[in-house]
Amino acid sequence: MDDNRKPERGHETLDHTADMGLRGWGPGIPEAFEEIALAMFELIAEPGYEAGTYETSIRCQGRDLDELLVEFLNTLLAQADIDDVVYRSVNISGVKHGGETWEMDAVAFGTPRELAKEYLRAEVKAATYCGVLVEETDTGMWETRCVVDL
Amino acid sequence: MGSVKLEKVHDCLWEIPKEDAMQVPGRIYADQRSIDFLREEGKAKQWDALVQVRNVACLPGIQQASLAMADIHPGYGFPIGGVGAFDLETGVVTIAGVGFDINCGVRTMVVDIARDEIERRKKELANALFETVPAGLGSTGSLKLSKKEIDHVLREGARFSLERGYGIPEDLQFVEEEGSVDGADPDCVSMHAKERQFKQVGTLGSGNHYLEVQYVEEIFDEEAAAAFGLDRDQVVVSIHTGSRALGHQIGTDYLKVLRRASEKYHIPILEAELVAAPIKSPEGERYIAAVKAGINCAFANRQAIGGLVRKAFHRIFAIKDEEIHTLYEVGHNNLKFERHTVNGMEKELLIHRKGATRAFGPGRPEVPQRYREVGHPVLVGGTMGTASYVLVGTERGMEETFGSAVHGAGRLKSRKRALREYRGERIIGDLSKQGILVKVHSKRGAAEEAPGAYKDVDHVVSIMEGAGVNKRVVRLRPLICVKG
């Protein structure tokens, strides 16, 4: 994709032989994280189902941004399973860096799986460290990448 | 990345010679065609399975060789199809050698119903299986557990499901480890993992997991087929699933633990997921105890599904539970403590099999009495439109591969490419013309799992047979396929 014509924020999937690569981008770290999460949600359930009213707070930590990203995606996967929901969006309220850890607070919005049944696509086993990337690009945008195990 | 040095040992085996940081050579069961494909794939993408074989050969305490079976393709740290054996004193345990679907495996059951009778009521049977066995994303099991009871599942394995009325006692004799391993510690498994799992025991899952009704299409080894009770046209049911969300969460939790352990114990990290801890370290011991809990969870899951399959057959054919016998059940993402001979000395090793099936040949005490003269059945899943195989291990396989076999066809095309090239409805229609009835929860799943997205399973098993490490017993062809 031509960088100049890229929208301000967005996400896409990338090829991987057995699994699926995800990519998000945006003007800052929170946006790039939110976008890659959207790519994962769309892999799990095709958009189009009714918006639910479910919301949950997520907190995660990592010793660097790579670990924070993998933790963030895995926390979303675990919480969705526990609460039996599919997420459609996530708002990151803050990313903090103190001492040797990065910390993130977010709220995820979702719909009970039962109501999204017709839209379910794939089960994501886990976000992995394979090809993980959190990087500020030359244009001052932030980019996130991760491969998820299906 | 594509610079891995390779030497041909014979037509079905290639070696990466030991050099630099490698502790042992790498050995790949492959013919020229497979090697050409792996080299191309390694060049074109950043995922190179040959580099992964070489990286595994650099881990401390690895014995004999870093191995890849003929269904090799790129994984996370370990190649899929990878086998690594480690010395208990100097060796490590690595999460890459187990993956996120702990003890994923196959159970095959023999059904005493003639093939034409199945053909006559195929649709009804397919519907009954589809309705009885929960599958697909977010499906919940018919085994209703409390959060506390999950600890019993993790300790007791298949026995737990049996005691809840799923299956018959005879099943356990024909499950690897009799359906339960010692040393599983539920305290080493996080609350998150347990909370994700307690509703999922007795569910098939999605992706490449399936339930198939199959028949014996061809017999290659009459003696072994007779020992397994498999005649031409014999109907069987195969269940392919694992430890579900519990295994995924154990993988996620310990990836972090072992990342830190690699640094603490100065184990070089050659790829992000290839992180490890010494077998005899607190981190290693806890991970092994957690994996064992995951192994038992998968045993419990397949035992529960085996019970549900019997219910579905009963609904259509009024067949008794005892008229469906477990042929065998064996995992392909596992850690096992096993005794093997290395450099003429017998010793206990920790074997990692990532997308590789245990294949113990004749005489091993782990093989059920009934099969001891020929070796246990090795269950190899194909794709939904093609064949599956029952193989056996050989003496040579015991020496060369620590008694291991392939686990399936191995993916050829990415899911994205499969989605571009195939349509779910079309695949289901084409298979139906070939007499294979497919029932899926997700049409997208059918496209992703299209037969053309996988390597040719006939080719993969012929390499293993050509190398003399596995032997074909029968080929199975699907009649009904249920997927998530």
Side-chain angles (χ1 to χ4, degrees), chain B residues 424-463:
Chain B
E425 284 94 350
R426 179 83 189 269
I427 295 287
I428 293 167
D430 287 351
L431 290 174
S432 153
K433 280 181 210 143
Q434 297 169 39
I436 303 164
L437 188 57
V438 179
K439 296 278 291 180
V440 289
H441 287 266
S442 158
K443 294 243 165 60
R444 179 192 166 97
E448 286 184 354
E449 296 295 318
Y454 281 87
K455 290 179 193 158
D456 175 5
V457 69
D458 297 323
H459 177 228
V460 163
V461 296
S462 74
I463 293 169

Side-chain angles (χ1 to χ4, degrees), chain B residues 195-206:
Chain B
E195 281 179 54
R196 284 180 74 174
Q197 184 61 28
F198 81 100
K199 285 176 287 188
Q200 291 194 12
V201 178
T203 62
L204 200 58
S206 66

